[in-house]
Amino acid sequence: MNGWEQVLALLASPLMQRALVAAVLVGAAAPVVGTFLVQRRMALMGDGIGHVALTGVALGWLVGSWAAVSPADSLAVPGAVVAAVVGSVVIELVRERGRTSGDLALAIMFYGGIAGGVLLIKVAGGTNANLMSYLFGSISTVSTADLWWTAALAVLVLVVGVGLRWALFAVSHDEEFARASGLPVRALSMVVAVLAALTVTISMRVVGLLLVSALMIVPVAVAQIVSRSFGRTMLLASAIGVGVSVVGLVITYWNDVPPGATIVVLAIALYAGAAVAHPLVARRRAAGRDPHPDVSDDVLVAASDPTCASEPSPGPGTTGR
């Protein structure tokens, strides 16, 4: 089978079709929310929400087992959505009060979330393989129902995140200025928190709950290296998120490697390459650029008079020699 036939076989696989659609949706939506989290200096918020969402996964699984739903984890994603939204609202309230004791409360909530999730999944009849698929992602677990959930939530995140981007940016960048401008700071801060929670739940099937924060933040870090505009950073970060997600999944189709870890490693490698290459490119451009093109700084060297080293150019366009 040649390379083209292998690509056609990949695209013809229903498993890869679902996984690729999910990867595109997650790769586009996660960096949009990550752009706001980076502005708020809360890059690890997604990681904390992921810990809490695991308890929601387990509770949904447990309810599905009691209700004899088939498969038993059909309610895992709805459970994760509820737990993640509640957890994100609590995180935002603790952050808003800014008390030292709040940091301790968040730590207890995060550790309790992941510990409770591990225990409840075992009680519900789940296996270690099921647990690992939620923690680190697995393309083989992306069902049609998961795809519909992912599509609906990703569209919601993109519509709200892009539609309210300037108001959300103002609140994320400077709350005092946003409050003075008449913006509803508390409501918009809650919108950012809920968007982060929804992004975590839609990303857990592709990259896993423990790695979802990387897909939200690392593409934004790459985009910030080469872009100074907020709008361009968001657009470029989404494009990078889609690119690394699709390439990572394609790699896992031909190689037995975990998809979530592969996607994150690709994103970090892209960041390292951009961090190294950008200063070199900027230095080369600066060396070849005239900082004052409207000022004539060319000189003529008088070859017949050695005491005259140089004299001003008579005007623009005169070449030196």
Side-chain angles (χ1 to χ4, degrees):
M1 184 179 294
N2 58 36
W4 178 244
E5 291 174 340
Q6 290 180 350
V7 172
L8 291 179
L10 181 151
L11 296 177
S13 167
L15 174 67
M16 286 304 296
Q17 290 173 356
R18 292 195 298 270
L20 286 172
V21 172
V24 170
L25 293 170
V26 170
V32 169
V33 180
T35 308
F36 302 122
L37 295 183
V38 170
Q39 290 292 328
R40 296 167 70 89
R41 293 179 174 82
M42 297 184 68
L44 293 178
M45 183 177 180
D47 190 50
I49 295 175
H51 285 62
V52 179
L54 185 63
T55 295
V57 169
L59 287 174
W61 200 323
L62 201 58
V63 172
S65 298
W66 288 342
V69 177
S70 182
D73 63 342
S74 299
L75 301 179
V77 175
V81 171
V82 174
V85 169
V86 173
S88 66
V89 171
V90 173
I91 293 171
E92 180 57 30
L93 291 175
V94 172
R95 184 200 68 83
E96 187 181 71
R97 298 191 177 190
R99 294 178 180 172
T100 306
S101 58
D103 183 56
L104 181 61
L106 290 179
I108 293 174
M109 186 175 72
F110 295 162
Y111 297 138
I114 196 165
V118 172
L119 284 175
L120 290 177
I121 283 181
K122 284 293 183 182
V123 172
T127 64
N128 287 334
N130 300 134
L131 180 62
M132 295 295 284
S133 70
Y134 282 104
L135 291 177
F136 299 103
S138 175
I139 58 173
S140 62
T141 60
V142 179
S143 64
T144 303
D146 292 334
L147 190 59
W148 281 112
W149 271 103
T150 301
L153 296 177
V155 170
L156 178 62
V157 169
L158 287 171
V159 169
V160 176
V162 176
L164 298 177
R165 62 187 183 281
W166 297 119
L168 297 178
F169 170 74
V171 171
S172 301
H173 184 67
D174 190 340
E175 285 192 4
E176 295 302 324
F177 176 78
R179 190 172 286 108
S181 301
L183 292 173
V185 173
R186 169 173 279 188
L188 291 172
S189 297
M190 287 297 177
V191 169
V192 174
V194 172
L195 288 180
L198 297 180
T199 305
V200 168
T201 55
I202 64 175
S203 305
M204 66 181 181
R205 286 297 202 186
V206 177
V207 294
L209 291 170
L210 294 184
L211 297 175
V212 61
S213 188
L215 188 58
M216 298 169 71
I217 302 303
V218 179
V220 179
V222 178
Q224 284 184 330
I225 292 177
V226 297
S227 177
R228 294 292 178 264
S229 163
F230 174 74
R232 291 179 182 175
T233 297
M234 178 181 285
L235 182 62
L236 182 58
S238 288
I240 293 171
V242 172
V244 296
S245 298
V246 171
V247 172
L249 281 182
V250 171
I251 291 175
T252 61
Y253 178 77
W254 284 301
N255 301 275
D256 186 19
V257 290
T262 304
I263 292 170
V264 173
V265 168
L266 283 175
I268 293 176
L270 192 59
Y271 172 78
V276 172
H278 186 260
L280 300 177
V281 175
R283 194 176 301 127
R284 173 170 295 185
R285 287 180 177 175
R289 184 188 306 151
D290 188 349
H292 303 291
D294 55 331
V295 176
S296 174
D297 53 357
D298 296 329
V299 296
L300 289 176
V301 177
S304 58
D305 186 358
T307 62
C308 182
S310 64
E311 61 181 7
S313 169
T318 305
T319 58
R321 58 189 172 93

